Amino acid sequence: DCGYYDQPHVIRAFRRFSGWTPALDLYQNNDNVVAIVELPGMRKEDIEISLQDGMLTIGGERKAETGQEDSATRTERFTGKFRRSITLPTRVDANKVNATYKDGILTVTLPKAEEAKPKQIQVNVS
């Protein structure tokens, strides 16, 4: 049962107008906020990362492999430009941000600003 929305020309048209959105997870511990983004099939040169006013933005473009779209019977892999923006849950130190890309997974580690880290308070005996 092949519905209208499963037809290749409809899928290609939808993607052309909507772009695509990679999956993103955001974690935090006492020291860091960590964003993990699924970007399979991309080159690190095609990924852009920016941080401004407490918002992390990840963008780029995954290009279609030449010649395959014309002969495809079914296409489900998204190509084209994307942009994800997420407001960070706390202040981070922009000068210490680190990004790694391995096996299609982008990991952005954003160290928390000192004032945002939890403080241990010593109890003194008097």
Side-chain angles (χ1 to χ4, degrees), residues 11-22 40-42 60-66 68-69 75-83:
I11 293 171
R12 281 194 299 272
F14 175 74
R15 290 180 185 159
R16 199 169 23 251
F17 293 112
S18 67
W20 64 287
T21 304
M42 291 195 64
E61 182 174 8
R62 183 162 59 194
K63 297 176 175 65
E65 296 176 29
T66 55
Q68 289 188 347
E69 188 167 316
T75 57
E76 295 184 357
R77 295 184 302 151
F78 287 101
T79 57
K81 293 184 179 182
F82 70 91
R83 181 160 306 279

Side-chain angles (χ1 to χ4, degrees), residues 14-111:
F14 175 74
R15 290 180 185 159
R16 199 169 23 251
F17 293 112
S18 67
W20 64 287
T21 304
L24 181 149
D25 292 339
L26 193 67
Y27 301 95
Q28 66 174 316
N29 57 30
N30 286 345
D31 298 319
N32 300 302
V33 176
V34 179
I36 299 174
V37 188
E38 291 182 354
L39 297 172
M42 291 195 64
R43 298 180 314 144
K44 66 178 184 174
E45 297 83 17
D46 296 328
I47 301 169
E48 301 168 5
I49 305 167
S50 65
L51 178 63
Q52 184 175 4
D53 298 328
M55 182 161 303
L56 175 67
T57 301
I58 299 169
E61 182 174 8
R62 183 162 59 194
K63 297 176 175 65
E65 296 176 29
T66 55
Q68 289 188 347
E69 188 167 316
D70 293 338
S71 62
T73 302
R74 183 177 186 94
T75 57
E76 295 184 357
R77 295 184 302 151
F78 287 101
T79 57
K81 293 184 179 182
F82 70 91
R83 181 160 306 279
R84 288 293 312 260
S85 293
I86 187 165
T87 301
L88 299 174
T90 188
R91 291 179 46 123
V92 298
D93 186 343
N95 296 318
K96 296 181 180 176
V97 174
N98 180 44
T100 59
Y101 181 64
K102 183 178 180 185
D103 298 332
I105 303 293
L106 174 68
T107 302
V108 183
T109 303
L110 306 111

